[in-house]
């Protein structure tokens, strides 16, 4: 039986070459062109990754808490959503570009550029004198944020092999969960005690510390020869993405789905994407190789990650609406529900990472995690006006465990299946697909909610109230705030003696209509979770590699030999595959 271990194959290659010194020189040269981080510096690099990820993910939730005060001072409510949209669009567009270029030039220059650009955007945002200024500054932050989305996962891949990486990806999920929990409180405290501008300035000392750590710990890659960069593909991807992101941002809110603005933006995006695919198929080293999606392991993990992120979006985005609008609790009360959900997400991620690291296998765990997610979404689907806060917490925790167990798994499985030299582009493409899922999901879910809510509300109200509702085109998310309720009560009471009774009838119907609308979304989330479960059944399993993952990049095996390591489950694993990392 042929020995497939690295040592056996490498030894044969070196003996055949007959020149150990020449081989050692080639290995050293290859190592210089590698992003791999070893020795004591890898802990500095890990610290830099953790700090940069934490403050970039914290930024979004901190800013959201300060927005009411910002709007009050800068007077630009019409541009409220664009404070977040500008950041999201800029980061989504740049993620795949950073990923590909980091495989060519190394992670360090793009990490440094991303951190520096993010901090520059923070300074400009803190100095904003108008909403237009703030939106432009947030777009600059997003350009840097794209690097902070794509570089950390790739850098963890530079530090730990796939078998080790699984448990550390759980730590990455921990950071996102913690930032989601403490962000709103921290943002409110900073706004109340220091002023809203410090919501942006607070990024500077943390970003500077991360920048210094990255500059010290990450290697400078020295490339043999002149690298080929797909600049045409990069430009075309931006041209294709911007109108698509604009269309999905406008649709259902600024313009209708069938408006000329939305239709023309989607059409121009489709044309640009078609051109992009033609260019990528001809490019010698494409930005996003179409062949990636032809690989079963890549396609299946991308589909699972996309479906999981959209299903989670349905739960996280609309759970507070259900708690406040249907159950009638306060915004603080919705935090009582969301905090356990995020803690269960963290616990699921940590447990998943430990199991992956110990077993080196992921398919069974993926199926179980998707099954738990299906159960959680199914229980959310059956909630109504008679549900209690305890019911919502229980269901949210189950959903969080299922989603948390899947998120690190799909990242590690995809990275493990490709050569180390492709780590950046594989990671960035997966992140890019999930980001687009969030962009598309927000307006689609919002439209579904609004239409289901309005239809249900009209059915439950008698004239003349039903006619009032039809004329108002009420936004369900704008009706649950205390100010909105006070205005509604005052408007009804102003109609005369019957006003109070009409108001109570309206609020009763409102609760049931909100339950119907969110129930429709949770039903959609359930179907998405079921689709994710089916996708996990089709997931190809390749045992998680150890240090052989880096072998090709460091010159210890050839590219053909490195590909031999990507064996499906059932093939004989390399020696030492089974035990503890």
């Amino acid at each position: 039986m042929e020995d497939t271990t690295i040592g056996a194959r490498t030894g044969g290659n070196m003996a055949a070459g007959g020149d150990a010194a020449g081989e050692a020189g080639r290995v050293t040269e290859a190592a210089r062109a590698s992003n791999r981080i070893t020795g004591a510096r890898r802990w500095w690099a890990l610290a830099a990754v953790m700090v940069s990820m934490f403050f970039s993910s914290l930024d979004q939730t901190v800013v959201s808490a300060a927005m009411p005060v910002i709007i009050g001072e800068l007077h630009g409510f019409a541009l409220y959503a664009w404070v977040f949209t500008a950041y999201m669009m800029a980061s989504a567009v740049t993620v795949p570009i950073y990923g590909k270029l980091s495989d060519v030039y190394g992670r360090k220059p793009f990490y440094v550029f991303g951190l520096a650009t993010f901090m520059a955007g923070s300074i400009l945002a803190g100095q904003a004198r108008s909403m237009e200024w703030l939106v432009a500054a947030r777009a600059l932050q997003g350009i840097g944020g794209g690097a902070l989305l794509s570089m950390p996962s790739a850098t963890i891949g530079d530090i730990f092999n796939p078998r080790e990486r699984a448990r550390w990806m759980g730590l990455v999920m921990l950071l996102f969960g913690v930032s989601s929990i403490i962000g709103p409180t921290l943002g409110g405290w900073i706004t109340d005690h220091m002023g809203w501008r410090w919501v942006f300035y607070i990024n500077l000392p943390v970003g500077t510390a991360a920048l210094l750590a990255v500059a010290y710990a990450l290697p400078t890659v020295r490339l043999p020869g002149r690298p080929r960069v797909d600049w045409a593909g990069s430009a075309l991807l931006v041209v294709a993405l911007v109108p698509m992101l604009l269309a999905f941002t406008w649709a259902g809110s600024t313009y209708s789905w069938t408006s000329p603005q939305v239709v023309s933006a989607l059409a121009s995006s489709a044309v640009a994407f078609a051109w992009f695919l033609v260019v990528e198929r001809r490019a010698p080293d494409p930005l996003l190789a179409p062949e990636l999606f032809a690989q079963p392991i890549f396609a299946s993990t991308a589909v699972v990650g996309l479906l999981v992120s959209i299903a989670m979006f349905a739960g996280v985005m609309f759970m507070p609406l259900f708690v406040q609008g249907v159950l009638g609790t306060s915004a603080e009360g919705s935090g009582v529900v969301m905090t356990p959900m995020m803690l269960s997400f963290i616990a699921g991620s940590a447990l998943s990472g430990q199991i992956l690291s110990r077993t080196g296998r992921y398919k069974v765990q993926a199926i179980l995690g998707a099954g738990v997610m299906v159960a959680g979404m199914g229980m959310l689907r059956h909630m109504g006006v008679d549900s209690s806060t305890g019911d919502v917490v229980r269901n949210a925790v189950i959903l969080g465990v299922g989603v948390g167990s899947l998120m690190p798994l799909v990242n590690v499985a995809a990275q493990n299946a490709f050569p180390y030299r492709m780590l950046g582009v594989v990671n960035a493409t997966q992140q890019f697909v999930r980001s687009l899922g969030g962009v598309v999901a927000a307006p689609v879910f919002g439209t579904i909610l609004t239409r289901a809510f309005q239809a249900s509300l009209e059915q439950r109200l008698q004239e003349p109230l039903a006619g009032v509702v039809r004329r108002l085109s009420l936004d369900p998310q704008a009706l649950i705030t205390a100010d909105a309720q006070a205005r509604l009560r005052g408007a009804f009471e102003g109609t005369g003696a019957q006003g109070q009774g009409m108001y109570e009838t309206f609020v009763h119907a409102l609760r049931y209509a909100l339950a119907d609308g969110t129930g429709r979304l949770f039903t959609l989330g359930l179907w998405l979770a079921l689709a994710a479960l089916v996708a996990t059944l089709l997931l190809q399993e390749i045992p998680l590699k150890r240090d052989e993952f880096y072998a090709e990049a460091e010159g210890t095996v050839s590219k053909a030999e490195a590909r031999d390591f990507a064996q499906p489950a059932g093939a004989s694993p390399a020696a030492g595959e089974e035990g503890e990392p």
Side-chain angles (χ1 to χ4, degrees):
M1 181 176 177
E2 183 183 356
D3 190 348
T4 59
T5 63
I6 295 178
R9 285 189 282 182
T10 304
N13 289 338
M14 293 178 72
D19 188 355
E23 183 70 24
R26 286 192 295 273
V27 170
T28 302
E29 187 65 28
R32 287 175 183 160
S34 171
N35 285 297
R36 190 181 183 188
I37 305 169
T38 58
R41 285 197 176 194
R42 70 179 189 162
W43 303 113
W44 284 101
L46 180 63
V49 168
M50 296 295 104
V51 170
S52 62
M53 286 189 69
F54 183 69
F55 95 88
S56 65
S57 60
L58 188 67
D59 178 76
Q60 293 293 81
T61 53
V62 167
V63 171
S64 65
M67 280 308 298
V69 176
I70 294 175
I71 292 295
E73 182 171 328
L74 299 184
H75 307 292
F77 185 77
L79 295 175
Y80 180 99
W82 279 97
V83 173
F84 303 98
T85 301
Y87 182 95
M88 176 185 66
M89 289 178 58
S91 60
V93 166
T94 54
V95 160
I97 299 174
Y98 285 129
K100 178 62 179 180
L101 293 180
S102 74
D103 281 338
V104 177
Y105 293 105
R107 320 275 182 239
K108 187 174 184 175
F110 301 102
Y111 223 140
V112 169
F113 175 80
L115 285 165
T117 304
F118 189 91
M119 288 191 292
S122 298
I123 293 172
L124 291 175
Q127 292 290 319
R129 295 294 182 267
S130 67
M131 283 296 291
E132 291 81 3
W133 181 338
L134 181 61
V135 169
R138 289 287 288 169
L140 183 61
Q141 272 191 308
I143 293 173
L148 302 183
L149 273 177
S150 58
M151 291 299 101
S153 293
T155 304
I156 289 177
D158 299 330
I159 302 171
F160 303 106
N161 65 50
R163 190 74 174 263
E164 297 172 318
R165 193 179 310 153
R167 66 165 60 128
W168 291 101
M169 288 303 292
L171 181 59
V172 170
M173 297 299 110
L174 167 67
L175 293 177
F176 284 114
V178 171
S179 66
S180 299
I181 293 171
I182 71 171
T185 302
L186 178 61
W189 187 90
I190 292 174
T191 303
D192 290 342
H193 293 84
M194 304 172 67
W196 66 263
R197 298 182 187 278
W198 280 95
V199 166
F200 299 103
Y201 294 150
I202 202 70
N203 292 327
L204 302 180
V206 182
T208 300
L211 187 62
L212 293 174
V214 165
Y216 167 75
L218 268 61
T220 300
V221 175
R222 298 178 179 86
L223 295 164
R226 183 179 179 84
R228 294 175 297 185
V229 178
D230 182 16
W231 296 115
S234 301
L236 275 173
L237 182 63
V238 173
V239 171
L241 283 174
V242 168
M244 188 195 75
L245 294 173
L246 284 173
F248 281 108
T249 301
W250 289 335
S253 55
T254 306
Y255 305 109
S256 70
W257 283 89
T258 57
S259 66
Q261 292 87 346
V262 172
V263 172
S264 61
L266 289 176
S268 62
S269 177
V271 171
F273 266 119
W275 190 9
F276 171 74
L277 290 176
V278 171
V279 169
E280 292 302 275
R281 289 187 181 279
R282 296 176 179 175
D285 192 10
L287 176 70
L288 291 179
E291 293 76 14
L292 276 179
F293 293 92
Q295 298 296 326
I297 183 67
F298 185 88
S300 57
T301 52
V303 168
V304 172
L306 175 65
L307 293 171
V308 169
S309 62
I310 296 177
M312 181 182 69
F313 194 83
V316 172
M317 183 174 181
F318 297 101
M319 193 85 70
L321 178 64
F322 179 89
V323 173
Q324 295 179 53
V326 178
L327 302 187
T329 64
S330 63
E332 184 179 356
S334 67
V336 173
V337 174
M338 299 307 296
T339 297
M341 181 180 179
M342 298 313 299
L343 290 175
S344 68
F345 177 81
I346 294 169
S349 299
L351 180 61
S352 173
Q354 290 295 325
I355 295 173
L356 284 172
S357 186
R358 290 178 181 275
T359 65
R361 305 278 181 166
Y362 50 80
K363 183 167 184 176
V364 172
Q365 185 175 330
I367 295 171
L368 292 175
V372 173
M373 183 175 69
V374 168
M377 289 302 307
M379 296 172 78
L380 289 179
R381 163 67 186 84
H382 288 93
M383 294 190 308
V385 293
D386 296 325
S387 299
S388 66
T389 302
D391 295 333
V392 181
V393 170
R394 178 199 61 209
N395 302 342
V397 165
I398 294 173
L399 177 65
V401 170
V403 171
S405 65
L406 283 170
M407 293 306 283
L409 184 151
V410 294
N411 282 321
V412 173
Q415 294 171 4
N416 178 69
F418 291 88
Y420 174 51
R421 60 188 169 83
M422 297 179 65
L423 176 63
V425 70
V426 168
N427 175 75
T429 304
Q430 293 267 335
Q431 178 65 51
F432 172 66
V433 169
R434 291 195 292 272
S435 297
L436 288 186
V439 171
V440 173
V444 171
F445 284 172
T447 300
I448 292 172
L449 171 68
T450 301
R451 290 181 178 177
F453 165 79
Q454 290 179 344
S456 176
L457 192 59
E458 288 182 24
Q459 290 176 358
R460 296 178 183 280
L461 294 176
Q462 302 295 322
E463 295 294 347
L465 274 178
V468 173
V469 170
R470 283 192 295 271
R471 290 194 300 272
L472 290 178
S473 297
L474 298 173
D475 178 3
Q477 299 188 70
L479 289 173
I480 62 173
T481 65
D483 288 344
Q485 288 290 310
R487 287 194 298 271
L488 277 173
R489 181 186 291 273
F492 277 110
E493 289 177 349
T495 62
Q498 75 278 16
Q500 181 62 31
M502 292 176 64
Y503 172 75
E504 292 175 356
T505 301
F506 177 79
V507 169
H508 179 78
L510 175 67
R511 291 181 60 208
Y512 278 90
L514 281 173
D516 291 341
T518 52
R520 186 75 60 86
L521 292 178
F522 294 148
T523 299
L524 178 57
L526 175 60
W527 283 108
L528 292 169
L530 286 169
L533 176 59
V534 172
T536 60
L537 296 174
L538 304 176
L539 190 64
Q540 182 187 23
E541 184 167 66
I542 299 172
L544 296 184
K545 304 186 190 83
R546 297 180 185 275
D547 283 346
E548 66 267 24
F549 177 72
Y550 303 106
E552 177 204 332
E554 295 183 348
T556 55
V557 296
S558 68
K559 294 182 180 179
E561 290 172 322
R563 285 193 293 269
D564 291 341
F565 289 115
Q567 300 182 36
S572 299
E577 187 74 53
E578 296 304 329
E580 286 287 327

